[in-house]
Amino acid sequence: MADEPLTIRLLGRPAIERPGQTADRLRSRKSWALLAYLLLCEARPTRSQLAGMLFSEADDPLRALRWSLAEIRRCLGDSVSIDGDPVVLLLSEGVAVDVDLLGRDWTAAVEAVGLGAELLDGLVVRGAPAFESWLLYERRRIAAASEAILHEAALGLLARGALDRACGFAVRAAAMSPLDENHQALLIRLYRLMGDDAAAERQYAAWTGLLDTELGVAPGVTIEAAMRERPRRRVGVPTSATVEAAIESGSATIAAGAIEPGVAALRSAVRLADAGAATSLRSRSRQVLAEALIHSLRGLDEEGLAHLHEADRLAVEDDDPIGSALARAELGYVDFLRARYDRAERWLSEAMDLADGSPVVMAKAATYLGSVHSDTADYPRAIALLDEAGRLSREAGDPRREAYALCMKGRVELLRGDLDEADHHLTTAVALAERVHWLSFLPWPQAFQGEVCLARHEPSRAAEIFQQAFARACQLGDPCWEGITARGLALVADAEGDSERAFETLRDARSRGTRLADPYVWLDAHILDAMCDLGRTHGHPETRTWIDTLRELASRAGMRELTVRALLHSAARGSTGDADAADLLAAEIDNPDLHALIRATREGRTQPC
């Protein structure tokens, strides 16, 4: 029956489950592959594309495709409609797909039975290299999504005071990615808050040993901060005015440039607020502290996240939608930086829903959400959101936010090859930032201005822009700004014929951009893409390693264009099936320049992407 409850499990060993019945399995591995592809792929593939991807070795590929489609219909019955060309799969209302849970709130997502298991575990499809490339991409993306949910669940339970349950999820997240410093910091912080100092010290020692063995480095500031965490002690009951004064004092100290004393004052404000009775002040003090940790005292985003989850919970309890919206916008921003784009999109969309028309909150959330869609190559949606963010920023009287939105829109146009529009918006962003004396922002739009000059074959002008931006970035000590401007200087060096200096500078750019526990992950992939370009051009011996690193990083995060570019780099070096896989992924991306690169790769014109 069409309304019969049914669950399609793709996490772990695939199965089709009905209540009270033995799990069904499709007989053909390629039928499972076809079903998974149709469920997970956003584009609508044609029959010829599906036949070529999965059944190219069959005597009659289209007939083999029809057989697999018929097997899916037989197994799912009235619960599925699957027909047409392009092929459209529609599920009835009673059908659940376990992977879909990964996009929901963490409280629902942790109920996914196979959370943390491999997508289509054990499935091997031979003679289908394009599908194998696509499946590798999806497996990495799903694994990263599962890991992000476990981490978010631990933070959410920490905010609720359920430290034991939080610790269980933190352990699972750390096991999935043992070298992730933020997972380790959260686990150590939980042990400290629980009063289990011995467990915290054991975890710290194990992490220190792993870092030394694997990377030859010492723990970063986020781990050291977690080791300093203590169970929260109450202080004397203050007045609301005292708490307000502590928040104002901390904020003013940070604005004056004394970051660490200001953060210390805001931590004191949180303790004072907890001793008082006003829930609104408990939420606001955490919000202000979290923003200082994330935007001012770099490297402590993990501590900031814990405060944001608590601020959100308190705002919800206090029936304060604007407070909750502000917390969720910042949660989305951190997930954006970490390339947890599904989680970021959820937080930011919820922030916009809760903002109650506030242009300040809406502008912030729309700017970050537009940036998320830019990173994942949904360019039409990115441009629409960034345009809206600019309008809302003007309405809110926030020229800094407007400059940020203009810069990110200019970046989209640069990536799509529209150099005139990119130049216009980046120049406007720079002028606006200069007008309001936001000099600490300038290296970001200037770096993309330099890339526009390089694309126009103006290396001298590009060098001038990059040198100024790099000097300013170093003065500020901002890892992200240093990384993007150093990347530009490397490309200038290559344009000037100094490939050795170019490679040295690109390595330095990666090192600068990732020196803290919370780098902007898209930037790391952007730098790697340049390394792959130059590596192919000059026949560098490490090019294959760079390509594989880019492919894994981009596919885990769901950076679709950068995944396509990694596949094209690999295809240009002769990897079977990667050009077809790139074509499949690029079908969902509105970028004429990218499609031109795919055609060039297929035609054997393997110049850098």
Side-chain angles (χ1 to χ4, degrees), residues 74-214:
R74 282 195 302 272
C75 194
L76 295 180
D78 293 340
S79 297
V80 67
S81 166
I82 179 170
D83 214 339
D85 190 10
V87 177
V88 177
L89 182 147
L90 298 173
L91 299 174
S92 67
E93 195 170 321
V95 179
V97 182
D98 58 356
V99 173
D100 291 345
L101 281 173
L102 302 186
R104 296 176 62 184
D105 178 85
W106 67 264
T107 56
V110 293
E111 299 301 322
V113 172
L115 184 65
E118 184 170 77
L119 178 71
L120 298 179
D121 189 21
L123 184 77
V124 178
V125 179
R126 305 192 187 282
F131 175 78
E132 289 174 7
S133 292
W134 173 85
L135 181 58
L136 179 61
Y137 165 80
E138 284 295 323
R139 279 175 169 165
R140 287 171 171 166
R141 186 181 68 82
I142 294 296
S146 298
E147 187 182 320
I149 287 163
L150 291 169
H151 191 91
E152 189 176 303
L155 284 166
L157 290 164
L158 167 60
R160 298 178 180 189
L163 300 185
D164 284 339
R165 286 192 65 206
C167 199
F169 286 113
V171 168
R172 289 174 64 186
M176 287 190 72
S177 191
L179 288 173
D180 188 306
E181 190 164 341
N182 289 311
H183 293 334
Q184 299 291 334
L186 176 57
L187 184 54
I188 289 170
R189 176 170 286 108
L190 284 164
Y191 286 142
R192 296 289 281 180
L193 289 172
M194 293 164 65
D196 193 345
D197 291 346
E201 288 165 4
R202 286 194 300 270
Q203 191 69 29
Y204 179 83
W207 167 246
T208 301
L210 181 65
L211 272 187
D212 184 53
T213 301
E214 296 292 329

Side-chain angles (χ1 to χ4, degrees), residues 40-55:
L40 295 174
C41 180
E42 294 180 14
R44 293 183 173 183
T46 65
R47 289 183 175 244
S48 62
Q49 286 174 325
L50 292 170
M53 178 178 69
L54 285 167
F55 306 102

Side-chain angles (χ1 to χ4, degrees), residues 335-383:
D335 277 337
F336 154 64
L337 292 180
R338 293 181 174 183
R340 296 174 178 174
Y341 297 119
D342 289 346
R343 311 313 297 168
E345 183 174 0
R346 182 172 187 84
W347 286 122
L348 294 166
S349 298
E350 289 175 352
M352 294 182 76
D353 290 341
L354 290 166
D356 195 26
S358 165
V360 173
V361 183
M362 292 284 287
K364 175 185 281 193
T367 301
Y368 295 155
L369 189 54
S371 302
V372 165
H373 286 292
S374 171
D375 280 12
T376 56
D378 186 352
Y379 296 129
R381 180 67 175 144
I383 288 172

Side-chain angles (χ1 to χ4, degrees), residues 16 38 86 129 137 139 172 183 263 324 367 430 499 526 588:
I16 296 167
L38 291 172
Y137 165 80
R139 279 175 169 165
R172 289 174 64 186
H183 293 334
V263 167
S324 181
T367 301
V430 168
S499 61
H526 189 50
E588 307 167 17

Side-chain angles (χ1 to χ4, degrees), residues 6 29 67 82 166 173 215 299 324 341 343 352 367 392 441 454 457 470 592:
L6 180 150
R29 292 185 175 191
W67 186 91
I82 179 170
L215 303 176
S324 181
Y341 297 119
R343 311 313 297 168
M352 294 182 76
T367 301
L392 289 163
F441 172 69
L454 283 173
H457 307 290
F470 180 70

